[in-house]
Amino acid sequence: MTLSVAMSIDGHLDTVPPPRLILSNAADFDRVDEVRSQSDAILVGARTVRADNPRLLVRSEERRRRRETEGLPSSPWKVTVTASGDLDPRAEFFSAGHGEKLVYCPESAGRDIRNRLGERATVVELGESVTMADLVDDLGDRGARTLLVEGGGTVITQFLTGDLVDELQLAIAPFFVGDGRAPRLVGDGRFPWTPDRRARLIETRQVGDIAVLRYSLSERSPD
């Protein structure tokens, strides 16, 4: 499982007021597009669906054709997770592309979400509350072998504190946000990587004015 995220130098994912803060440059967006094209599924939290209205599609026509040649859908499955069910069926998460869309939720919210979304997505209930470990297991049962997580901060925190991430790809934008109210990369939690268990840096790369760091977080991560 790969976690790909961009942040400011001071660790923020966005600003407080809209519009959305653009952290990456064109070259880095293309790098992430390649990572997307190698994934079976892409996951973002419901808050990201509401705030950013992402399409979550492979952008490059060449990469889409390559996937289709390999017998895959042109873009990976789209996955989100919600507790409240506050999802707009008109969002591009549901309307853009023809691939599988999966919404994970607690049992208590399943019926309302199905009524709201209709046939736009498959709604999957996972007990009283959704854990990322159960979500990953269910995706695996459905045939997804490679998952790309792109945000936001709550989802990132849950995957990291759950020790579920094999590789972290961290793109650092060359500016500061400087606002303590702005969303940060992670919230509070007990993270497995400590001074006694250090993440392993496997690559540093300059992509235009962006610094990209790749960390191995498990033995499953490629070198």
Side-chain angles (χ1 to χ4, degrees):
M1 197 231 97
T2 299
L3 173 55
S4 174
V5 63
M7 70 177 191
S8 63
I9 291 175
D10 52 344
H12 289 287
L13 301 177
D14 207 343
T15 55
V16 174
R20 174 191 173 197
L21 177 65
I22 304 300
L23 290 154
S24 293
N25 56 31
D28 190 56
F29 281 129
D30 186 66
R31 176 191 66 82
V32 174
D33 195 57
E34 174 62 24
V35 179
R36 283 184 177 182
S37 74
Q38 297 174 8
S39 304
D40 293 328
I42 306 172
L43 184 148
V44 296
R47 186 176 300 174
T48 298
V49 174
R50 291 191 294 269
D52 297 346
N53 196 26
R55 294 169 59 84
L56 299 183
L57 301 176
V58 174
R59 300 182 180 196
S60 162
E61 182 177 350
E62 178 182 350
R63 291 175 182 132
R64 292 196 300 269
R65 285 200 305 264
R66 183 183 68 199
R67 286 178 57 89
E68 291 170 346
T69 299
E70 295 172 352
L72 300 170
S74 59
S75 289
W77 301 347
K78 302 182 194 181
V79 183
T80 192
V81 56
T82 178
S84 68
D86 183 13
L87 291 166
D88 186 345
R90 298 168 297 180
E92 292 204 88
F93 179 95
F94 302 107
S95 62
H98 303 289
E100 182 74 63
K101 290 104 176 177
L102 295 164
V103 177
Y104 286 89
C105 67
E107 290 178 354
S108 58
R111 178 180 297 179
D112 288 343
I113 296 173
R114 287 189 182 89
N115 290 339
R116 174 176 294 185
L117 298 180
E119 297 182 355
R120 295 175 180 85
T122 299
V123 178
V124 184
E125 301 172 15
L126 288 180
E128 295 182 4
S129 62
V130 178
T131 70
M132 298 305 107
D134 288 343
L135 185 154
V136 168
D137 285 344
D138 186 83
L139 280 174
D141 291 343
R142 293 172 186 273
R145 295 292 175 262
T146 51
L147 172 63
L148 174 64
V149 175
E150 295 191 1
T154 299
V155 166
I156 290 169
T157 301
Q158 291 173 328
F159 271 94
L160 288 171
T161 56
D163 201 1
L164 298 169
V165 181
D166 301 318
E167 181 179 320
L168 170 62
Q169 299 186 6
L170 184 61
I172 303 174
F175 54 79
F176 294 80
V177 170
D179 187 342
R181 301 168 300 164
R184 301 190 69 89
L185 174 65
V186 295
D188 294 341
R190 297 187 57 148
F191 296 88
W193 303 277
T194 67
D196 296 323
R197 182 192 172 188
R198 301 165 72 95
R200 183 163 58 91
L201 181 65
I202 55 177
E203 183 185 11
T204 62
R205 189 191 321 177
Q206 181 176 347
V207 182
D209 61 357
I210 299 286
V212 178
L213 309 179
R214 289 178 58 217
Y215 289 94
S216 169
L217 300 185
S218 84
E219 295 179 355
R220 299 179 299 273
S221 173
D223 289 337

